[in-house]
Amino acid sequence: MAGKIKLSFHTRVLLTVFAVCWILVGTFMAFQYHREKDFKASLLNSRLQMHNMRILEDIGQGEDIDNVIARIGTPMGGLRITLIDRDGDVIYDNNDQTPFPSTNHNSRPEIMKARANGEGYAVDRFSSSDDINYFYSARLGSNGAVIRSAVPYSHTLSEFLKADSTILWIMGGLTAAMSLIAFMATRKISLSIERLNNFAAKAERGERIYCGESFPHDELGSIASHIVKLYVQRDEQHREALRLQRDKVRLKKQLTNNINHELKTPVASILVCLDLIEDHPELPEVKKNEYIGRIRTNAMRLNTLLKDVAAITRMDEGSGLIEKNDIDLTSLITEIVEEEKLKTDMTINVSIPDLKINGNRQLLESIFRNLIDNAIAYSGATEFSIKADQSGNFKISDNGCGISSEHLPHIFERFYRVDKGRSRAAGGTGLGLAIVRNAIMIHGGEIKVCSINGLTFDFNLEVNKNAT
């Protein structure tokens, strides 16, 4: 807008700080002022309550109220004393200069407070019976009657209840000092802002910026230094992103090459067996059946490899899209173990609580099947155990031959084999433990392995704790 006055950053900050300071101090001053008034009112009420208590005690012993008041006197001049019964009717009033009160008093604020809390007071309330403002202090007696003392709200009482204005002058002076300090502080901040603005302009122009560029030793200086570091780190992060992208491409190529390599052996074996059967129809049935068995074994190996590749590719490219449902994990593990026991003489022990999980059944099944199958095929173990606690922390171990330490960091890598010849002979694809690790990660866990008196896998799954 033409002619619009633009305030500088320093002016805007200064005005904001001034406003905040004055609002805070003003609020505190108002609070302190009313607090002091309330304290003085409470002090006056305490004096009157002591007087009310003495009257209640004496009349409770059967003494006439006029005699009590005449004997104990009053703590201050002009004190009006009334006695209100349980129904709210005034049954005594020492003020004989005005008509006797006839209205119901149970609706008076000090009476209501006394009946609710045992005592109550009201400051500067108007009395319709004698057209005077009073300070009222009421106390509830044991028989349901309320004794009430009332002090005329005169100039002297008003001065007594008024808060001391000295605090107001002190706070006003303090606020002025704070305003001066704010002016000096915001001026320093504005200088830092100007330097930061110059830095931003240099960054926008693409000029070279050094991490060691000097900034003031204050909060803005610290922010500016962080901005410089972030600016320098941006290129490093960009290069890191490119490197990760290259690694991803490399891993895909490596996966493709490994798949091609893994396919060659079973395919070649199948073709050789088929050629032998076709070229030699005179082969004995026993030999033909042997070749057919080899063809079936290699075909099953190919099928397993394709399933494993499909599973790990699905986890790599769409882990967030994998469907999850509520699953009884304990029941699933029990079912898997019963099936696996049919494949081996190895003893499989299970000790797990009742666990529920929101997960993918196929991936969860692959975790435990792969770990059990690995133990059956490679460990030479006689015992295998699955243990878990209520929090979903699993410990799966065997008493087999274990793995040497140089292989442990690599066993979760794709197509990594400790004993390549033995693994292929057992029909392994080299993807089982990689699938285990990825499946555990998709279910919010992490897996670790150690080899002491066999092989032990420690991992956790995000189970539904409220359902366990």
Side-chain angles (χ1 to χ4, degrees):
M1 182 182 294
K4 183 178 179 180
I5 299 176
K6 295 183 178 180
L7 298 176
S8 66
F9 174 81
H10 174 236
T11 303
R12 294 198 305 272
V13 172
L14 184 61
L15 291 177
T16 302
V17 172
F18 278 1
V20 171
C21 286
W22 283 96
I23 290 172
L24 288 176
V25 172
T27 302
F28 175 77
M29 289 166 61
F31 169 77
Q32 186 65 23
Y33 185 78
H34 287 289
R35 183 182 179 186
E36 187 176 352
K37 288 185 66 176
D38 290 342
F39 172 75
K40 289 187 174 181
S42 297
L43 189 63
L44 176 59
N45 177 58
S46 296
R47 292 177 61 189
L48 295 176
Q49 290 293 350
M50 292 295 294
H51 185 67
N52 292 340
M53 188 182 300
R54 291 186 62 187
I55 295 175
L56 285 173
E57 289 176 352
D58 289 347
I59 64 176
Q61 296 176 1
E63 190 174 352
D64 183 73
I65 188 171
D66 284 320
N67 295 336
V68 173
I69 294 174
R71 177 170 52 79
I72 65 175
T74 58
M76 55 193 67
L79 188 67
R80 182 178 178 182
I81 298 173
T82 52
L83 184 62
I84 298 96
D85 65 12
R86 186 187 301 272
D87 296 326
D89 297 324
V90 177
I91 57 177
Y92 175 81
D93 186 355
N94 70 336
N95 182 9
D96 55 3
Q97 304 298 319
T98 59
F100 194 82
S102 59
T103 58
N104 189 286
H105 278 50
N106 275 343
S107 61
R108 303 294 195 268
E110 67 278 3
I111 304 299
M112 294 173 64
K113 292 177 184 177
R115 293 198 182 281
N117 306 315
E119 64 175 66
Y121 69 88
V123 180
D124 196 13
R125 188 175 67 74
F126 179 74
S127 173
S128 58
S129 61
D130 54 4
D131 297 332
I132 296 177
N133 284 9
Y134 285 97
F135 179 96
Y136 290 98
S137 178
R139 171 171 287 275
L140 179 66
S142 58
N143 61 352
V146 175
I147 188 74
R148 185 182 67 179
S149 299
V151 181
Y153 210 86
S154 62
H155 174 73
T156 303
L157 181 60
S158 177
E159 287 296 318
F160 170 77
L161 294 177
K162 186 172 66 175
D164 189 356
S165 61
T166 304
I167 186 66
L168 301 181
W169 290 105
I170 294 175
M171 294 305 296
L174 180 60
T175 305
M178 291 172 61
S179 300
L180 179 61
I181 295 172
F183 172 78
M184 297 172 62
T186 52
R187 181 174 177 81
K188 183 178 179 181
I189 291 173
S190 67
L191 295 176
S192 298
I193 290 292
E194 289 177 7
R195 297 192 64 185
L196 186 58
N197 187 46
N198 293 335
F199 155 75
K202 290 174 65 177
E204 187 178 8
R205 293 192 296 267
E207 297 180 13
R208 188 172 182 181
I209 299 174
Y210 300 93
C211 285
E213 188 168 347
S214 176
F215 281 92
H217 297 291
D218 53 24
E219 286 80 0
L220 279 178
S222 176
I223 292 173
S225 297
H226 285 305
I227 291 175
V228 173
K229 292 178 182 178
L230 290 172
Y231 187 82
V232 172
Q233 290 172 0
R234 184 182 62 179
D235 289 337
E236 295 178 359
Q237 292 174 351
H238 181 64
R239 287 194 295 271
E240 179 67 14
L242 291 176
R243 186 187 66 78
L244 291 174
Q245 184 65 27
R246 288 195 297 269
D247 287 346
K248 189 174 182 180
V249 173
R250 179 179 58 80
L251 286 173
K252 285 186 176 181
K253 289 182 179 179
Q254 183 182 2
L255 180 61
T256 302
N257 292 334
N258 286 332
I259 292 171
N260 289 334
H261 179 72
E262 293 294 329
L263 288 173
K264 286 180 181 179
T265 301
V267 169
S269 180
I270 290 172
L271 291 174
V272 168
C273 291
L274 287 173
D275 288 342
L276 287 171
I277 293 173
E278 289 178 353
D279 293 341
H280 300 281
E282 74 282 1
L283 285 172
E285 286 297 319
V286 175
K287 205 65 177 177
K288 285 182 180 180
N289 290 336
E290 179 184 342
Y291 291 147
I292 291 172
R294 290 182 184 179
I295 292 171
R296 180 181 297 278
T297 299
N298 283 283
M300 292 175 63
R301 181 180 172 189
L302 285 174
N303 184 54
T304 302
L305 177 62
L306 292 174
K307 285 183 179 179
D308 286 351
V309 169
I312 204 163
T313 302
R314 183 161 64 106
M315 286 188 283
D316 281 346
E317 297 183 353
S319 60
L321 302 177
I322 292 175
E323 182 181 357
K324 293 183 178 180
N325 300 295
D326 291 334
I327 295 171
D328 185 338
L329 187 56
T330 304
S331 177
L332 176 64
I333 294 172
T334 302
E335 179 182 329
I336 293 170
V337 168
E338 291 302 318
E339 293 177 6
E340 292 292 328
K341 283 181 178 180
L342 300 176
K343 303 178 183 179
T344 179
D345 294 330
M346 181 175 65
T347 302
I348 303 177
N349 299 313
V350 179
S351 176
I352 56 176
D354 185 21
L355 298 176
K356 304 293 190 299
I357 189 171
N358 182 259
N360 181 274
R361 183 180 181 87
Q362 183 179 353
L363 294 182
L364 290 169
E365 186 175 341
S366 70
I367 294 172
F368 298 96
R369 285 198 186 277
N370 276 305
L371 291 175
I372 297 174
D373 287 343
N374 270 8
I376 294 172
Y378 311 121
S379 71
T382 58
E383 291 187 5
F384 183 90
S385 68
I386 302 175
K387 297 180 180 179
D389 60 20
Q390 293 282 357
S391 299
N393 298 309
F394 282 83
K395 182 183 290 292
I396 296 182
S397 59
D398 62 61
N399 65 345
C401 59
I403 297 175
S404 58
S405 58
E406 66 267 21
H407 294 296
L408 287 177
H410 306 288
I411 65 172
F412 295 111
E413 296 176 6
R414 298 169 187 183
F415 295 105
Y416 185 83
R417 290 183 172 89
V418 176
D419 185 340
K420 296 183 179 180
R422 184 183 176 197
S423 297
R424 287 195 176 94
T429 64
L431 292 173
L433 291 181
I435 290 173
V436 169
R437 181 184 62 181
N438 284 12
I440 288 173
M441 290 174 61
I442 287 172
H443 289 86
E446 181 181 0
I447 187 168
K448 297 179 181 179
V449 62
C450 67
S451 182
I452 301 174
N453 298 324
L455 206 59
T456 300
F457 295 91
D458 290 293
F459 62 91
N460 61 295
L461 299 174
E462 287 187 355
V463 298
N464 301 332
K465 294 184 179 180
N466 292 335
T468 58

